[in-house]
Amino acid sequence: MSPTTLSILLSINGRDHALDVEPRVTLLDALRERVHLTGTKKGCDQGQCGACTVHVDGERVLACLTLAAQVEGRSITTIEGLAGEDGTLNAVQAAFLEQDAFQCGYCTPGQIMSAVACIREGHAGSDDEIREYMAGNLCRCGAYPNIVAAVRQAAQELRS
């Protein structure tokens, strides 16, 4: 370890990961390159596309704008951590499949992570509200109608 390296412990999807990182390493790069959880995508690397959305203590954050050292001691959830231990899909993941809410699939992990948060935050009451609170996640393929339908379906299922 050099003087410019930090030893940090990240709790990711319920498992602890000890890492030695430079202070400027983003959470996105730590997840993808150090922990090898590649479900979180690197899109714009500027916080504008939402492909890198993960949850930190249940709140959605953009992993490309978050330093790994900032989230030490906090609970991080990635797309890999949404499904149950037995492989049962989260309600949002299942709804995305049922509603065909993706085309190329690149933005899908970030879309799903934002959708889970959108529902948890209580912002899935109408299609307009869903669109507003999902606006930070871009889809170059234009699958927005199906994404909104999937969020609406999952929200309804989780309410009942």
Side-chain angles (χ1 to χ4, degrees):
M1 185 169 80
S2 75
T4 59
T5 304
L6 302 172
S7 291
I8 61 173
L9 184 67
L10 297 181
S11 176
I12 306 166
N13 301 328
R15 299 183 65 198
D16 288 339
H17 298 270
L19 304 174
D20 292 329
V21 297
E22 291 181 6
R24 65 183 177 190
V25 169
T26 64
L27 176 57
L28 176 60
D29 288 338
L31 291 170
R32 292 183 58 79
E33 297 171 16
R34 310 291 171 88
V35 186
H36 307 291
L37 292 173
T38 57
T40 304
K41 301 302 182 208
K42 183 180 274 199
C44 67
D45 217 15
Q46 298 175 4
Q48 296 183 8
C49 74
C52 66
T53 304
V54 298
H55 297 171
V56 176
D57 292 338
E59 300 288 323
R60 54 182 146 174
V61 301
L62 299 172
C64 74
L65 297 181
T66 305
L67 297 176
Q70 288 177 285
V71 294
E72 182 175 24
R74 299 173 70 190
S75 177
I76 302 159
T77 305
T78 68
I79 189 71
E80 292 92 345
L82 282 187
E85 290 287 324
D86 63 354
T88 302
L89 294 179
N90 172 286
V92 175
Q93 291 172 304
F96 265 65
L97 287 171
E98 290 173 30
Q99 295 293 333
D100 197 23
F102 49 89
Q103 287 180 36
C104 82
Y106 196 82
C107 72
T108 304
Q111 296 278 359
I112 289 173
M113 296 304 289
S114 275
V116 168
C118 180
I119 294 167
R120 185 184 308 127
E121 294 163 2
H123 297 300
S126 69
D127 287 3
D128 286 341
E129 187 177 33
I130 292 168
R131 278 191 279 281
E132 181 178 342
Y133 282 89
M134 293 289 294
N137 291 79
L138 303 180
C139 173
R140 289 189 278 176
C141 300
Y144 296 114
N146 297 33
I147 291 168
V148 171
V151 176
R152 182 183 345 105
Q153 175 185 324
Q156 290 168 348
E157 289 174 8
L158 291 168
R159 275 189 225 118
S160 43

